[in-house]
Amino acid sequence: DGGFTVLEATESSVLNLLQKHDEGLPLFDILEHFNGSKSEAVIDLLSCLERDFMIFKKNNLYWLM
């Protein structure tokens, strides 16, 4: 398979990804990481996590609270 992994975005997988990046992550990198999910679904999930105060967006980067 050439080492290509398809990753689905879930609440826990997004939080785990952001936990590994203290410097924050841009939307592009998050969408690229979760290549097994539609971009609209990932964006919706990020919005839900923001509303629940689990993550926040600042300077176009997403951060873990």
Side-chain angles (χ1 to χ4, degrees):
D1 70 23
F4 184 76
T5 304
V6 175
L7 294 173
E8 295 280 338
T10 64
E11 186 175 298
S12 61
S13 65
V14 169
L15 295 175
N16 286 338
L17 176 66
L18 291 175
Q19 187 175 22
K20 296 175 188 169
H21 295 275
D22 293 338
E23 71 284 356
L25 271 180
L27 179 60
F28 176 82
D29 288 354
I30 296 170
L31 293 176
E32 196 173 68
H33 183 81
F34 294 112
N35 55 4
S37 296
K38 292 185 187 272
S39 57
E40 297 85 10
V42 176
I43 291 167
D44 286 347
L45 181 57
L46 290 170
S47 294
C48 289
L49 291 170
E50 277 187 276
R51 281 195 300 275
D52 292 344
F53 299 104
M54 299 180 87
I55 66 171
F56 67 100
K57 184 177 178 184
K58 181 179 177 187
N59 299 328
N60 290 318
L61 295 175
Y62 285 90
W63 307 76
L64 192 61
M65 285 275 200

